[in-house]
Amino acid sequence: KKALFIGVAALVFVDFYTPVTEATPVRLAPVYEIPAADAASAREAFAILDIPWNAGWPLMHQTLHGIPTMQGYVGRKYGTPLIGRIPFEPDRLALQKAILARHQVKYIVIQKKALAYTPAGKADLERYEAGLRRIAEAYASVYERMYEDEDAALYRVYS
């Protein structure tokens, strides 16, 4: 029995062992520095809305800044989550702002460059990123712009 136990334990170890210790370097993008500093001194918790929310990037960023994000994956939904109940149409952003403030979503981060998009070609990528830049400009008409660079923009929903 001891030999069998040691053999199974050895097989488990060999199965999970990897000699590769390198990992993809990940750093907190500058757009998240203001919310991260705010979270460190805030008296109440708040969340962030990331646009677009594809491929799990907001969840990876959350591991770095530690602020709750509206995006996520769950195995079973019992109702429509908040992200599914807020309007995203440019003419309804004022309503969106009221809903986000009521639910303590304090910041919106818009990624203006593709993070995990696999376009069919360069023209497709350019259209996608142009759309993200148009979204960022639409949000600037309703929300207070706190930060912007060529990669991303940060908007504050409430003070």
Side-chain angles (χ1 to χ4, degrees):
K1 286 184 178 182
K2 256 187 190 178
L4 179 62
F5 176 76
I6 291 171
V8 169
L11 287 174
V12 169
F13 176 78
V14 169
D15 187 41
F16 283 101
Y17 176 76
T18 179
V20 179
T21 58
E22 294 179 18
T24 302
V26 178
R27 64 174 182 81
L28 187 61
V31 72
Y32 291 103
E33 291 175 4
I34 293 172
D38 189 5
S41 63
R43 284 183 265 168
E44 62 181 28
F46 59 84
I48 293 177
L49 168 63
D50 285 272
I51 298 174
W53 57 86
N54 54 2
W57 282 89
L59 298 175
M60 186 208 53
H61 290 139
Q62 184 184 26
T63 66
L64 299 172
H65 58 62
I67 303 167
T69 183
M70 286 185 59
Q71 292 81 337
Y73 299 104
V74 294
R76 182 177 298 167
K77 295 179 184 174
Y78 293 102
T80 304
L82 180 60
I83 192 87
R85 293 181 290 165
I86 59 174
F88 285 94
E89 298 83 7
D91 61 332
R92 299 185 69 204
L93 291 180
L95 174 60
Q96 179 194 74
K97 184 175 183 177
I99 294 169
L100 293 177
R102 186 171 56 244
H103 291 279
Q104 294 178 280
V105 178
K106 193 170 185 178
Y107 293 101
I108 299 170
V109 174
I110 299 178
Q111 301 292 340
K112 298 189 302 184
K113 298 269 180 146
L115 296 175
Y117 182 69
T118 53
K122 185 175 181 183
D124 192 24
L125 175 63
E126 289 171 355
R127 277 192 301 276
Y128 178 77
E129 290 182 346
L132 290 172
R133 288 190 298 275
R134 280 193 304 276
I135 290 169
E137 287 308 312
Y139 274 69
S141 67
V142 176
Y143 295 97
E144 178 185 3
R145 186 178 305 164
M146 301 296 295
Y147 174 88
E148 185 168 15
D149 63 17
E150 64 277 355
D151 296 328
L154 175 70
Y155 302 94
R156 184 166 52 195
V157 177
Y158 65 90
S159 296

